[in-house]
Amino acid sequence: TEKETWTYPSPQMFYNALVRKNKAHDVTASDMDVVVAIHNGMNELTWKRLLDWEKLHGAEHKPGCPKLRRFRGRPYDLSIKAKLKSMLGWGFPFDRHDWYVDRGDGKEVRYIIDYYSVDEGQPNPNAGADGTGGLDSIWAD
């Protein structure tokens, strides 16, 4: 429906997921309030950037679109772009998401988002997102 929204995980849910994925080696449950705030902020920024890209396809959109239909975390799968960037010395992303967007025409368009650490080793490191359309969606433009 038009009122559908995504619900972000609670700090405890996020921590449990890290433990389940064997990625909690350098965090504690007490860190999760800050981690979840950063995670949610990155997702909001990513969605905002994706909407900017989707504005280029505004004529294709039906009312209430685009919508995020689903996403899939793929932290161990390097995108083609991430492989190329790593060969050029950019380092590896710490996470990857594939986001599937509905433009209202019955087709899903996939975006691949690689998340990188920025200023790692600094007192206040940041994270950045680098997105591109999936090769399976290249003709959806």
Side-chain angles (χ1 to χ4, degrees):
T1 67
E2 296 291 320
K3 305 236 183 236
E4 290 176 339
T5 59
W6 287 98
T7 302
Y8 286 118
S10 70
Q12 186 63 54
M13 291 167 63
F14 197 92
Y15 182 72
N16 292 345
L18 289 176
V19 170
R20 187 176 61 253
K21 296 174 184 177
N22 198 27
K23 293 183 111 187
H25 57 275
D26 59 349
V27 296
T28 65
S30 63
D31 297 325
M32 291 302 103
D33 285 338
V34 172
V35 170
V36 168
I38 293 168
H39 175 268
N40 295 352
M42 282 301 300
N43 279 340
E44 292 296 326
L45 178 63
T46 301
W47 180 245
K48 194 176 289 188
R49 288 181 180 170
L50 193 143
L51 289 177
D52 287 343
W53 182 260
E54 282 293 305
K55 285 179 185 174
L56 299 173
H57 306 281
E60 300 173 26
H61 295 155
K62 305 291 185 217
C65 289
K67 290 181 183 179
L68 179 62
R69 281 290 174 207
R70 59 191 174 99
F71 71 92
R72 180 176 172 211
R74 298 179 64 184
Y76 305 109
D77 298 332
L78 289 178
S79 67
I80 293 170
K81 189 173 184 180
K83 288 177 185 177
L84 289 172
K85 287 178 79 168
S86 69
M87 285 190 274
L88 296 171
W90 284 72
F92 294 97
F94 65 82
D95 201 1
R96 169 185 166 178
H97 290 176
D98 288 8
W99 289 27
Y100 297 84
V101 172
D102 177 7
R103 291 182 177 159
D105 60 2
K107 291 186 247 172
E108 283 187 334
V109 179
R110 181 172 64 125
Y111 285 89
I112 300 169
I113 298 98
D114 294 311
Y115 294 94
Y116 290 88
S117 295
V118 180
D119 300 328
E120 201 167 326
Q122 299 298 315
N124 297 307
N126 296 305
D130 184 14
T132 189
L135 291 177
D136 55 348
S137 295
I138 200 161
W139 304 116
D141 292 348

